[in-house]
Amino acid sequence: MVIVNTCGFVDAAKEESIRAILDAAEVAHARGALVAAVGCLVERYRAELAAELPEVDLWCGLDTAPLLAAMEGLAAHSSRARSSDPVRRRERPVSAYVKISDGCDRRCAYCAIPLIKGVYEAEPADRILSAAQAALVAGGREIVLVGQDTSRWEQAGWGGLQRLLAELSGLEPAPLWLRMLYLQPDGVDDALLEALAQHAVPYIDIPLQHASGAVLRRMRRAGDAEAYLALLARVRSMLPGAAVRSTFITGFPGESDDDFEELLAFVRRADLAAAGVFIFDPQEGTAAATMPDQVSFALATERAARLSEALDTTAADYWAGLVGRRVDILVERGTSRTDGEAVGRCALQAPDIDGRTIVRGVKARRGDVIAALVTGSLGYDLEAVGGEA
């Protein structure tokens, strides 16, 4: 069985998911395998997809029970499964994502997540700790906590993020790094920053989305440029040298030239280490899809390009500022026999979404931690040499 995990957040992701389903079906059916489509796109558009894509053998949204049942059935009846079949060696895990919540109650005007995932629901602490423990026992070095609204996590009668981070850092074996992604700005208070300073890497992923107060109100979000700059100053006072990552949207309905210039001025002062830029994509069922004063796609695209250029410039300054510093590198690709070059990340780089660090002059395997001196930067990437050189 070939399983395609789909995304239904924006139109580009929907189109990519459908292409992936069709590609998987062509390959799988040629080999006599089944195709299952799962995930958010299926959760929201199952009936429409089933009518248009007869190539798919099993549709499964966010409830994985039908998928698991089908896989158990295949395993029980497959004539190919033999104990003598060679077992492919799995790569040693380096980072593990652990979900601490799902869904969202915020109802931002542009966002379809509540329509797909439903209301906010925190994962129980014991389930989070168990998942992290399993990843560490399997050889993982980094635990990355994820959810749509991670800064909100709390369990009645147990505690909040302060206790959760402390419990995670105390696991055996202990994680090398703890990292939290997607902290909503109004949830980043001094108590959380203190807990991050004590137990996690100095990395803040905080989706600001815009800097114009007028645009943010139409988005149904709080804050403005000055409030966000004050928040970032507080972050850096408690997490010196922290890498701050964010996301922004251009072309939201009613975004004026002045609103966009305010956003540009903000990112030039915010000193962000990384950021994603999205062009507003109206999603059916969201409030923003039918708002007046829709911005043309061409103008939104032009603004996105200008914003990305400004963000690239400020980010390059941040990473260049690390040159000459000694850092620990978590190796994701070990040294080959030919080039003596390892690839990994320092604590300021999140897996999958940020840059990487190339380390020369070392012998290392995947999962090793090596001390290195940063010798250069190229955009979001770093160059380093191993040892005390």
Side-chain angles (χ1 to χ4, degrees):
M1 177 179 286
V2 178
I3 303 168
V4 181
N5 191 22
T6 65
C7 177
F9 187 51
V10 293
D11 287 350
K14 296 174 185 176
E15 293 166 3
E16 184 178 356
S17 295
I18 291 172
R19 287 196 301 271
I21 290 171
L22 293 172
D23 289 344
E26 182 178 359
V27 174
H29 291 165
R31 300 185 179 190
L34 302 178
V35 174
V38 306
C40 293
L41 184 67
V42 180
E43 181 72 13
R44 193 170 185 201
Y45 299 105
R46 183 195 307 258
E48 297 93 324
L49 290 168
E52 295 293 330
L53 297 173
E55 297 91 340
V56 175
D57 301 293
L58 175 66
W59 297 98
C60 181
L62 302 180
D63 177 9
T64 57
L67 175 65
L68 296 175
M71 293 174 68
E72 288 174 358
L74 286 173
H77 296 94
S78 175
S79 60
R80 303 179 198 174
R82 300 182 180 92
S83 60
S84 59
D85 287 346
V87 177
R88 180 177 297 178
R89 183 180 177 184
R90 299 178 63 183
E91 283 193 324
R92 182 181 182 184
V94 171
S95 300
Y97 293 94
V98 176
K99 182 184 292 186
I100 68 170
S101 68
D102 215 346
C104 187
D105 296 337
R106 291 179 178 272
R107 300 286 174 176
C108 296
Y110 53 82
C111 186
I113 285 176
L115 302 175
I116 301 170
K117 294 275 193 173
V119 298
Y120 174 88
E121 185 175 354
E123 288 286 313
D126 59 351
R127 191 180 302 169
I128 296 170
L129 293 169
S130 177
Q133 179 85 69
L136 295 167
V137 168
R141 307 302 307 276
E142 177 183 23
I143 299 297
V144 184
L145 304 181
V146 294
Q148 276 79 45
D149 195 353
T150 52
S151 52
R152 178 181 169 181
W153 188 89
E154 186 174 15
Q155 181 173 313
W158 191 89
L161 286 170
Q162 295 83 358
R163 180 179 175 185
L164 181 63
L165 291 172
E167 295 271 355
L168 287 165
S169 66
L171 291 173
E172 289 292 341
L176 171 70
W177 294 336
L178 277 177
R179 188 184 308 273
M180 291 193 70
L181 297 186
Y182 225 70
L183 298 161
Q184 292 293 341
D186 56 3
V188 180
D189 56 17
D190 287 352
L192 174 56
L193 291 174
E194 289 173 2
L196 291 173
Q198 186 174 358
H199 301 294
V201 295
Y203 184 97
I204 298 289
D205 176 35
I206 184 168
L208 300 176
Q209 310 300 20
H210 214 279
S212 163
V215 173
L216 286 164
R217 298 308 164 270
R218 288 196 293 276
M219 289 180 172
R220 298 180 180 171
R221 294 176 67 88
D224 56 28
E226 293 306 314
Y228 287 163
L229 288 171
L231 172 60
L232 294 178
R234 198 166 79 250
V235 166
R236 290 172 176 132
S237 70
M238 302 183 72
L239 298 171
V244 180
R245 178 184 178 85
S246 191
T247 54
F248 299 97
I249 298 171
T250 63
F252 191 81
E255 182 190 53
S256 65
D257 289 340
D258 288 344
D259 291 327
F260 178 69
E261 291 299 329
E262 187 174 356
L263 175 56
L264 271 182
F266 167 78
V267 301
R268 288 169 179 150
R269 298 173 61 192
D271 297 325
L272 300 174
V277 178
F278 296 88
I279 297 168
F280 172 69
D281 189 351
Q283 294 298 297
E284 61 178 319
T286 64
T290 57
M291 281 183 176
D293 302 320
Q294 296 278 328
V295 177
S296 72
F297 181 77
L299 180 56
T301 302
E302 177 189 338
R303 288 174 176 172
R306 292 178 60 196
L307 182 62
S308 295
E309 183 178 1
L311 287 163
D312 286 347
T313 299
T314 59
D317 291 341
Y318 174 84
W319 297 109
L322 296 178
V323 174
R325 282 183 50 182
R326 299 189 185 280
V327 295
D328 287 336
I329 304 298
L330 176 58
V331 176
E332 295 181 314
R333 192 185 75 201
T335 311
S336 72
R337 296 180 179 178
T338 56
D339 60 14
E341 180 179 284
V343 179
R345 295 176 289 109
C346 69
L348 301 172
Q349 296 168 312
D352 302 320
I353 56 175
D354 289 338
R356 59 184 185 171
T357 300
I358 299 172
V359 188
R360 297 181 174 87
V362 296
K363 291 183 178 179
R365 295 182 303 171
R366 179 177 170 87
D368 287 349
V369 180
I370 55 177
L373 175 70
V374 180
T375 58
S377 65
L378 181 60
Y380 297 84
D381 295 332
L382 297 175
E383 296 178 335
V385 294
E388 300 297 321

